[in-house]
Amino acid sequence: MTPRPKPPVSRRERPAKAALSREGIVAAAVAVLRAEGLEKVTMRRLAQELDTGPASLYVYVANTAELHAAVLDELLGEVDLDTGGDGGGDGDGDWRDQLEGVLSSYKLILFAHPALARMAVSARPRGEHYLRLVERLIALQVEGGVPPERAAWGVDVLLLVATAVAAEKSTQWQSGDAESEWDALTRAVRELPASTHPYLHALGASVLGGSGTQRSSWGLRVVINGITNTPVPGDED
Amino acid sequence: MTPRPKPPVSRRERPAKAALSREGIVAAAVAVLRAEGLEKVTMRRLAQELDTGPASLYVYVANTAELHAAVLDELLGEVDLDTGGDGGGDGDGDWRDQLEGVLSSYKLILFAHPALARMAVSARPRGEHYLRLVERLIALQVEGGVPPERAAWGVDVLLLVATAVAAEKSTQWQSGDAESEWDALTRAVRELPASTHPYLHALGASVLGGSGTQRSSWGLRVVINGITNTPVPGDED
DNA sequence: ACCTGAACACCGTTCAAGT
DNA sequence: ACCTGAACACCGTTCAAGT
């Protein structure tokens, strides 16, 4: 709680006054992200971190949004593409489990960075690590028997759900008053008159985003099952 | 393109110097939202609109996030809960169509307000209009034969997808250079080597969020079909 | 080319002081 | 109680000027 001023991040990575470069800027951004969160990854703060003025960064980076996107792609390099399923070397675990595994690895990264997940929902990344992930997700589906075009549509929904779940859950734990907020919601929903809101009255606040992990993995399975059961306009399964 | 200063929104609704109130603040916020977008719905701007200082608003509203949430719930009052299906009076159109109809009405509102959709992904609303929508979505599922508890979990995923699709699509059209951005992405994906990215190479950029309406309604059907095919931990269908 | 100081046009939120 | 002026501590981005 003591708000004493923090020292600049990672003095070691910046020995003297290194020349500016896109890579350097992104690296500094990742460092600040890890240490203090995306809110602090601002042009002004980064400039300070790199011993220059904010204007200088605009030579290498178009704007803040582009910078944040680059940061996300950097982190996406850590997604484990070969997890899930039987985990053995011959790689024929159930493709659904593997799909879930990869997406869980993706979610884990976003869980650690709420604000990044939020960003990813609206501004779809397109960096190399992201494309690698997309390729893998399509491959797993096709190996599982999903027609390629449907798999291509499917990857959109899969990533959408995984990203949105991360964006949602993460902000839930973030605000300190999570406990009392939840109590308040529970009470409010339970007090809804059964006459106008029979289901909410009966089911209670558990409706609105309950127990985390279980629900979110159910959500992924819903999408996977949905994909295998829903032909796109061109195919008939 | 001429950036001449805009006059205050809706001079008529604010005849003299009305007393402050939560309702008044939210109403002013909605007016500014409609006229200039959520980015302009700031404490300072609203204070100016209401002829006072920003500090005064904090008597009625905890912070900017809470204000934005209230604005969203206000708009959600316009969701059409009885659309889709056969549209006739006896109301027994297919429940899936009705579900799609209601969610489309929800999406339409979010499409008009990109920034609001973005917000809704991470900070789930809990206002009265939102709860009405949730109740309706559960009811439609249960009428269609989905076990109540599963329907409760399902409504989460349905709203997640609808909201995220709106958040995503809307920001896509927003940036003026949408056309050239899209071309650039297409080229980049097509140029990926077939050796490392066989599927992306073959399928092209259409993978990453193609033709809008068709895809997003497919996404909703995927979730609906997924729900009917995926039992939750407690039930066996 | 690349880099920068300084400025423009904003933010959210708090707090002591007033009514 | 309710309201406010003024301040604190920030933002992104541009642009003319320098090297």
Side-chain angles (χ1 to χ4, degrees), chain B residues 130-142:
Chain B
Y130 181 75
L131 293 178
R132 194 140 69 185
L133 171 64
V134 171
E135 175 73 20
R136 178 66 175 149
L137 291 174
I138 298 178
L140 281 170
Q141 288 177 80
V142 175

Side-chain angles (χ1 to χ4, degrees), chain A residues 30-78:
Chain A
V30 171
V32 172
L33 172 78
R34 291 220 150 92
E36 299 172 51
L38 192 68
E39 307 75 47
K40 305 287 182 175
V41 182
T42 68
M43 293 306 217
R44 289 181 112 105
R45 173 62 197 276
L46 249 29
Q48 183 186 308
E49 206 75 33
L50 296 163
D51 275 325
T52 182
S56 307
L57 306 182
Y58 285 84
V59 177
Y60 304 97
V61 152
N63 51 47
T64 309
E66 204 218 71
L67 175 66
H68 286 177
V71 167
L72 174 59
D73 196 67
E74 199 64 29
L75 296 197
L76 254 30
E78 280 161 28

Side-chain angles (χ1 to χ4, degrees), chain A residues 206-217:
Chain A
S206 66
V207 179
L208 295 269
S211 51
T213 332
Q214 263 197 344
R215 300 265 290 238
S216 99
S217 103

Side-chain angles (χ1 to χ4, degrees), chain A residues 171-184, chain B residues 126:
Chain A
T171 18
Q172 217 146 93
W173 300 169
Q174 213 183 26
S175 44
D177 41 13
E179 189 68 28
S180 70
E181 280 248 326
W182 179 252
D183 289 355
Chain B
R126 31 183 90 201

